[in-house]
Amino acid sequence: MSRQRLKVDIAALQETRLADSGSIKEKDYSFFWQGKAESEVSEHGVGFAVKNTLLNTVDLKCNGSERLLSLRLNTSIGHVTLICSYAHTLSSTPEAKDMFYDNLSSALSEIPTTEQVIILGDLNAGVGSDNSAWDSCIGSFGVGKVKENGQRLLEVCSLHSLCVTNTYFKTKPQHRVSWRHPRSKHLHQLDLIMVRRKCLKFVKLTRSYHSADCDTDHSLVYFILAPVIRAKRDALATYKAKPTQRNLLNLKEARAYAQRTARICANEYWVELSESIQLAAQVGNIRGMYEGIQKALGPSQNKTTPLKSTTGEIITDKCQQMHRWVEHYSELYATTISVSDSALKAIIQLPTMNELDETPTLSELNKAIDNIAARKAPGCDGIPKIF
């Protein structure tokens, strides 16, 4: 599937057309959706597809609608709120459009400004390519002209300090658009992803994938956050180039974020490995259990003490090492050792235990046989304990 091929962690879904709200867990992903009531017309609907490895960080808000659904993640850098949105088309009434953007603005107002927020989905809004009037909201790589819905969206972005990430990356023209009009065949940039402006530096890329099979006339819009190590290196390079107090604070924040993320990744790795070993042991998969234990212990290391010659030089040649061992033991066992009489007399004389030379009795023999564990191999006489 496209999600697995592109290594998608979280996907925002629109036009799910599923009634009410619910969730379902599959092999690799879990799906959450919000739609209209079962008694109403089955249309619209939004949802999320979340990788199962991230379920322990997910907090799904239950007050969504068929056009807005929020998902909160508990990450190492704090809470991150994702809002899946499905806006009205141009043919909808102005009242419906205003109500949607009012609801979106209200949802954003409930999120603290210290938390990160990501809005993604089919906004049906063209923000255009002219960023002179909205330089704080859009970049230099927009598409087309600003439309009526785009005007409403940019007003919300300006109010909440958001920026449209699709317009900040110089990609190929076909990678900036996500929908082709069925009659005019014109390409439009309607599926958008927005973040707070202060978090734009963590966005690595936003582009469309037309080859992804999404069972829709819209193309998949792919959003990548900068890796932790890359963000730390960029912060360090920025501080070295311009050692200001602000850049120093950014560097400390990036380092702390990298350390927290590393600890979380390490914990998830060991938990997953332990669970796989436990599962293999429960189902009787001895080979899988052994491989898991070997993976946990790491590769075996054969460490040997360096062998030195009589002059103190380290010997690396195998043949010379064997000759050195022969020389060592020849000298060791060829040396005559003499023990003085005083040393012999200093040895403590223990009493002689004559009972050890006596023939064992029948009771002692029975007791010794009874102490042998069951199913033990017989001795040299070939008679097992059972006889």
Side-chain angles (χ1 to χ4, degrees), residues 181-192:
H181 195 280
R183 291 190 299 273
S184 65
K185 305 301 180 182
H186 291 167
L187 296 172
H188 299 271
Q189 190 182 53
L190 301 182
D191 301 87
L192 307 175

Side-chain angles (χ1 to χ4, degrees), residues 1 3-5 8-10 24-31 49-55 272:
M1 296 177 66
R3 294 189 304 272
Q4 298 172 346
R5 178 172 60 88
V8 176
D9 293 324
I10 300 177
I24 184 172
K25 185 176 182 180
E26 295 189 351
K27 180 181 178 182
D28 298 310
Y29 290 86
S30 294
F31 298 88
V50 183
K51 208 169 185 179
N52 290 336
T53 55
L54 299 176
L55 287 181
E272 183 178 355

Side-chain angles (χ1 to χ4, degrees), residues 119-190:
I119 304 173
L120 58 173
D122 183 4
L123 276 303
N124 283 310
V127 296
S129 57
D130 184 11
N131 67 337
S132 57
W134 305 94
D135 56 346
S136 62
C137 301
I138 61 175
S140 304
F141 305 102
V143 177
K145 297 181 180 180
V146 61
K147 300 295 184 355
E148 180 186 353
N149 283 351
Q151 181 74 21
R152 289 186 173 91
L153 178 63
L154 290 174
E155 291 176 358
V156 174
C157 291
S158 179
L159 178 62
H160 297 280
S161 300
L162 300 173
C163 56
V164 183
T165 63
N166 307 59
T167 63
Y168 283 87
F169 298 95
K170 188 178 180 180
T171 58
K172 294 180 179 179
Q174 63 268 29
H175 294 162
R176 304 178 195 174
V177 295
S178 59
W179 182 71
R180 182 191 296 272
H181 195 280
R183 291 190 299 273
S184 65
K185 305 301 180 182
H186 291 167
L187 296 172
H188 299 271
Q189 190 182 53
L190 301 182

Side-chain angles (χ1 to χ4, degrees), residues 40-110:
E40 298 184 58
V41 179
S42 180
E43 60 181 357
H44 312 318
V46 289
F48 286 101
V50 183
K51 208 169 185 179
N52 290 336
T53 55
L54 299 176
L55 287 181
N56 57 341
T57 66
V58 170
D59 179 17
L60 186 68
K61 296 185 178 181
C62 301
N63 56 347
S65 65
E66 72 275 9
R67 290 191 178 273
L68 289 173
L69 181 63
S70 298
L71 184 75
R72 199 182 193 197
L73 299 179
N74 299 318
T75 68
S76 57
I77 59 173
H79 297 292
V80 179
T81 301
L82 285 76
I83 301 178
C84 178
S85 56
Y86 180 40
H88 293 269
T89 59
L90 287 174
S91 59
S92 301
T93 61
E95 292 77 10
K97 299 176 186 178
D98 292 337
M99 180 178 295
F100 170 80
Y101 285 103
D102 288 343
N103 294 336
L104 177 60
S105 182
S106 300
L108 290 170
S109 300
E110 297 176 358

